[in-house]
């Protein structure tokens, strides 16, 4: 272990990472095999956005009830909360490898249940199974990669997990697009996720346990054997000495630490370094969700429809832009996380996120204000099918498309025959009238209205993803894989992951309801406010960890982090008291 300060990582960037894995392919084998969990994480959270459009078509109850749509989407997140909490205990008790294998079984079971679901409640059950796997994979995969990586390229390798998450989301949109005209659409979309789960299960059986976990459990020779495949002979001895010193220090204060989860949580918050790590780790995980990212990833096609693109296929196709940019941004993170640091990338990312959310709020406000008006003649064209709320309104001349689609009216807008942006018809929302509208080569709207601002919404959604992905998209997982003292790494990562998924659940479970009450504009402005609070919290609570060994990070936190002073690890070990 390097003493006296933070290792400089000026040369530790993408090129050095590439050089290291080229010389030692075993490193990348470990990272990519564990990272399939990240791919499944991304796929299963992304695929529902497109599948939901077709589930609504097959089940009228889902189409008519916003809460049921939100439940189908968010039950995977609810399952992930319990998966992350259980994963923390499993990681410490039985190891990282077994946790990943159990996650694969859950992924596979959930995919099969959803593919054969005869009713919405069965889809929800399958989503819970998948969520349990997602929760376990979300914390275990980066932890395994982090503990099996050379510390100089640890950030880049952990970021590959973030790339695989975003890659999984991108592939899920491609799969959605590929199956839009196939019989059983959403069943194929959801069921195909069982295949990569089987592949990872078979790969992980052949791979070793994390060397740090093995050393922690007294399996020193096994740990050394694995490190010998990752480091040079001289570096192996350095790593072994660092782990030995760290564990000796832990055991000196560990006598009072019990084995129950409650006792571990109590001890984690009672330990100064771990408590500060939890403040930082929970901060970045909650901020990652309350910037609103998963409203985009879970409801991207729906948001595209809010922007004025009515076709399911068009909405899914345009969603490929956001998911593709998310994947590209993850590559940027891999390339720069060890050069520019975690903290700097997150702060820059948050500033960009806030700017994009404010602009999106303005765009959706303008789109709503300039929505096409309702024409009495156009509505009367469809006979007595005119929307009852419109027909009974004391001031029908004030109605526009947005008022027609509002929850209070719950009707559909049929565009003008000659001009998409000209006054159109507000008629009852039924399958028969939708067919009659389309039969006249008109466009049928139920989620959003025709808008000349729609293309701007897609552009700024893309910019939002560009600034989110390299920073807040991947760095919170990197931070949480390296910030906790070894004895609290499993429980600390579990607590932070639970906070992530709890925040995710709140956001995903309320997004459609928020848009009904605040409108798209108000909802995005609300997320901009949350993002500003997150930026302030990150600035004051999260230290820089680039180029540092785990033991050095612990010493910096023990001393106390401040953004207004130089923070370095010191030789003094007396501060390791609780």
């Amino acid at each position: 272990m390097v003493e006296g300060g933070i290792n400089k990582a000026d040369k530790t960037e993408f090129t050095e990472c590439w050089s290291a894995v080229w010389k030692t392919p075993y490193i990348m084998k470990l990272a990519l095999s564990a990272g399939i969990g990240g791919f499944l994480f991304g796929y299963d959270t992304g695929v529902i956005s497109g599948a939901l459009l077709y589930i609504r078509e097959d089940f009228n109850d889902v189409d008519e009830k916003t809460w049921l749509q939100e439940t189908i989407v968010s039950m995977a997140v609810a399952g992930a909360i319990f998966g992350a909490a259980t994963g923390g205990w499993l990681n410490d008790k039985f190891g990282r490898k077994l946790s990943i294998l159990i996650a694969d079984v859950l992924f596979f079971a959930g995919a099969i249940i959803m593919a054969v679901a005869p009713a919405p409640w069965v889809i929800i059950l399958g989503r819970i199974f998948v969520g349990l796997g997602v929760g376990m994979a979300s914390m275990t995969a980066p932890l395994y990669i982090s503990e099996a990586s050379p510390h100089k390229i640890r950030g880049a390798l952990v970021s590959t997990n973030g790339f695989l998450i975003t890659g999984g989301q991108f592939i899920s949109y491609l799969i959605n697009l590929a199956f839009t005209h196939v019989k059983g659409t959403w069943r194929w979309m959801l069921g195909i996720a069982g295949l990569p789960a089987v592949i990872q299960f078979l790969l992980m059986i052949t791979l070793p346990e994390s060397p740090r976990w093995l050393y922690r459990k007294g399996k020193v020779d096994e740990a050394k054997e694995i490190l010998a495949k990752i480091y040079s002979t001289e570096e192996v001895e350095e790593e072994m000495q660092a782990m030995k010193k760290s564990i000796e220090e832990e055991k000196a204060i560990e006598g009072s630490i019990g084995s129950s989860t409650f006792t571990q949580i109590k001890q984690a918050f009672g330990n100064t370094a771990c408590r500060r790590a939890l403040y930082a780790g929970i901060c970045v995980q909650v901020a990652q969700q309350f910037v609103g990212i998963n409203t985009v990833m879970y409801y991207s096609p729906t948001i595209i429809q809010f922007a004025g693109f009515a076709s399911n296929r068009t909405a899914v196709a345009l969603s490929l832009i956001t998911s593709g940019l998310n994947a590209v941004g993850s590559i940027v993170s891999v390339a720069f996380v060890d050069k520019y640091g975690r903290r700097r990338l997150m702060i820059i990312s948050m500033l960009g996120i806030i700017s994009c959310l404010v602009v999106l709020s303005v765009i959706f406000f303008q789109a709503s204000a300039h929505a096409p008006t309702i024409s009495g003649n156009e509505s009367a064209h469809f006979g007595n099918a005119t929307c009852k709320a419109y027909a009974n309104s004391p001031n029908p001349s004030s109605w526009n498309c947005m008022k027609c689609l509002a929850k209070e009216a719950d009707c559909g807008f049929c565009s003008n025959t000659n001009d998409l942006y000209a006054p159109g018809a507000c008629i009852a929302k039924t399958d028969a009238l939708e067919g009659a509208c389309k039969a006249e080569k008109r466009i049928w709207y139920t989620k959003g209205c025709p808008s000349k601002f729609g293309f701007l919404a897609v552009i700024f959604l893309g910019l939002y993803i560009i600034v989110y992905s390299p920073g807040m998209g991947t760095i919170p997982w990197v931070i949480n894989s390296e910030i906790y003292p070894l004895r609290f790494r499993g429980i600390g990562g579990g607590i932070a992951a639970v906070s992530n998924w709890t925040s995710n659940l709140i956001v995903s479970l309320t997004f459609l309801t928020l848009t009904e009450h605040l409108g798209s504009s108000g909802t995005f402005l609300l997320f901009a406010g949350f993002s500003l609070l997150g930026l302030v919290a990150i600035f004051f609570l999260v230290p820089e960890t680039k180029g540092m060994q785990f033991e050095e990070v612990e010493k910096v936190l023990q001393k106390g982090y401040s953004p207004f002073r130089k923070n370095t690890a010191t030789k003094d070990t007396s501060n390791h008291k609780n």
Side-chain angles (χ1 to χ4, degrees):
M1 183 175 69
V2 178
E3 301 285 356
I6 297 175
N7 271 348
K8 296 299 181 182
D10 296 336
K11 296 182 180 179
T12 309
E13 44 192 291
F14 184 71
T15 53
E16 184 167 336
C17 179
W18 175 256
S19 175
V21 299
W22 181 260
K23 293 176 183 177
T24 313
Y26 186 73
I27 298 172
M28 186 55 74
K29 180 182 179 181
L30 293 173
L32 290 180
S33 297
I36 295 176
F39 176 86
L40 283 163
F41 172 1
Y43 185 90
D44 280 308
T45 53
V47 71
I48 195 62
S49 63
L52 184 63
L53 302 179
Y54 298 95
I55 293 172
R56 278 170 25 203
E57 291 183 352
D58 280 5
F59 300 107
N60 287 333
D61 281 351
V62 178
D63 188 44
E64 294 171 0
K65 298 174 181 176
T66 296
W67 69 264
L68 194 51
Q69 296 174 40
E70 291 175 327
T71 301
I72 289 173
V73 171
S74 60
M75 276 306 98
V77 182
I81 294 172
F82 290 100
T86 306
W89 174 77
L90 282 173
N91 269 285
D92 282 342
K93 186 73 174 176
F94 300 106
R96 296 31 166 159
K97 178 179 175 178
L98 181 61
S99 297
I100 292 174
L101 293 174
I102 293 174
D104 287 328
V105 173
L106 292 167
F107 277 127
F108 183 78
I112 298 303
I113 290 171
M114 289 187 293
V116 302
W121 72 266
V122 182
I123 300 175
I124 291 170
L125 178 64
R127 291 286 289 168
I128 292 173
F129 270 80
V130 164
L132 290 169
V134 166
M136 294 178 67
S138 69
M139 62 162 299
T140 307
L143 185 60
Y144 181 91
I145 296 169
S146 176
E147 294 183 342
S149 302
H151 63 86
K152 288 186 177 181
I153 59 171
R154 186 178 63 228
L157 287 176
V158 174
S159 290
T160 61
N161 183 66
F163 168 68
L164 288 168
I165 292 173
T166 56
Q169 289 171 334
F170 179 71
I171 294 298
S172 74
Y173 286 127
L174 284 178
I175 294 294
N176 283 346
L177 190 60
F179 285 106
T180 51
H181 293 308
V182 175
K183 186 177 181 180
T185 50
W186 59 269
R187 298 184 185 276
W188 286 102
M189 295 172 181
L190 299 175
I192 204 169
L195 182 59
V198 172
I199 293 172
Q200 184 181 42
F201 187 91
L202 296 175
L203 284 172
M204 288 304 299
I205 287 176
T206 67
L207 293 176
E209 180 53 79
S210 155
R212 285 182 170 268
W213 185 85
L214 289 170
Y215 199 109
R216 172 74 177 157
K217 294 299 180 180
K219 300 179 181 180
V220 178
D221 291 338
E222 290 182 43
K224 187 172 183 179
E225 183 180 341
I226 297 165
L227 289 175
K229 297 179 181 180
I230 300 172
Y231 292 94
S232 66
T233 303
E234 297 78 10
E235 290 174 323
V236 169
E237 291 304 320
E238 289 181 8
E239 286 297 309
M240 292 294 289
Q241 289 301 314
M243 284 193 290
K244 179 181 178 181
K245 184 174 181 180
S246 176
I247 290 173
E248 285 176 349
E249 292 173 349
E250 291 164 18
K251 289 181 177 179
I253 62 171
E254 202 173 37
S256 62
I257 297 180
S259 58
S260 71
T261 301
F262 176 78
T263 302
Q264 290 182 39
I265 293 173
K266 182 179 178 181
Q267 291 293 332
F269 278 98
N271 177 273
T272 302
C274 188
R275 182 173 62 253
R276 289 170 176 161
L278 283 166
Y279 291 159
I282 292 172
C283 164
V284 296
Q285 294 287 32
V286 172
Q288 185 193 63
Q289 295 305 316
F290 274 90
V291 300
I293 181 58
N294 282 317
T295 63
V296 177
M297 302 317 298
Y298 297 162
Y299 297 104
S300 183
T302 302
I303 294 173
I304 296 297
Q305 289 183 335
F306 287 161
F309 298 92
S311 163
N312 284 354
R313 186 175 178 85
T314 300
V316 171
L318 287 174
S319 296
L320 278 171
I321 297 174
T322 58
S323 60
L325 291 171
N326 200 18
V328 171
S330 298
I331 298 175
V332 174
S333 178
V334 173
F336 294 110
V337 65
D338 284 317
K339 181 176 182 180
Y340 295 111
R342 289 76 158 132
R343 178 181 164 83
R344 183 183 299 178
L345 285 179
M346 283 193 295
I347 289 175
I348 293 172
S349 179
M350 288 295 280
L351 289 171
I353 287 168
I354 293 168
S355 300
C356 288
L357 286 172
V358 170
V359 173
L360 280 168
S361 177
V362 172
I363 289 172
F364 278 103
F365 177 81
Q366 291 297 320
S368 177
H370 294 86
T373 58
I374 302 300
S375 165
N377 291 334
E378 287 287 321
S379 300
H381 172 75
F382 293 92
N384 61 1
T386 300
C387 175
K388 290 183 179 180
Y390 170 72
N392 297 330
S393 172
N395 187 22
S397 61
S398 67
W399 276 54
N400 65 9
C401 172
M402 292 301 295
K403 196 165 184 177
C404 176
L405 303 187
K407 184 179 180 180
E408 295 76 14
D410 194 29
C411 294
F413 180 81
C414 186
S415 68
N416 190 287
T417 307
N418 302 314
D419 183 358
L420 192 63
Y421 307 109
C426 182
I427 55 180
K429 190 168 62 175
T430 66
D431 292 341
L433 289 173
E434 177 183 353
C437 175
K438 291 179 178 178
E440 297 185 6
K441 306 299 180 183
R442 299 172 181 235
I443 299 178
W444 176 251
Y445 294 87
T446 59
K447 294 296 180 184
C449 297
S451 173
K452 296 179 180 179
F453 298 93
F455 76 98
L456 286 175
V458 175
I459 289 172
F460 277 91
L461 278 173
L463 287 174
Y464 168 83
I465 293 295
I466 288 173
V467 296
Y468 167 86
S469 184
M472 292 306 297
T474 56
I475 306 303
W477 299 107
V478 176
I479 288 288
N480 275 280
S481 71
E482 60 190 14
I483 201 169
Y484 302 106
L486 178 58
R487 61 194 175 281
F488 297 117
R489 193 155 296 148
I491 195 69
I495 292 170
V498 168
S499 70
N500 180 286
W501 289 110
T502 301
S503 303
N504 190 329
L505 177 62
I506 293 170
V507 170
S508 62
L509 194 57
T510 59
F511 175 67
L512 294 179
T513 302
L514 283 173
T515 58
E516 285 182 355
H517 290 85
L518 301 179
S520 300
S521 176
T523 302
F524 281 111
L525 190 61
L526 179 65
F527 286 132
F530 288 143
S531 300
L532 180 60
L533 294 176
L535 173 62
V536 173
I538 288 170
F539 180 79
F540 284 103
L541 295 177
V542 183
E544 181 56 71
T545 60
K546 76 167 183 175
M548 298 173 69
Q549 292 181 327
F550 293 119
E551 294 74 23
E552 292 178 294
V553 176
E554 182 177 355
K555 287 184 177 181
V556 168
L557 290 168
Q558 187 72 35
K559 182 179 178 181
Y561 173 76
S562 170
F564 303 111
R565 69 165 184 259
K566 185 177 181 181
N567 296 273
T568 59
T570 67
K571 292 183 179 182
D572 181 13
T573 60
S574 62
N575 287 330
H576 281 265
K577 297 177 182 179
N578 284 352

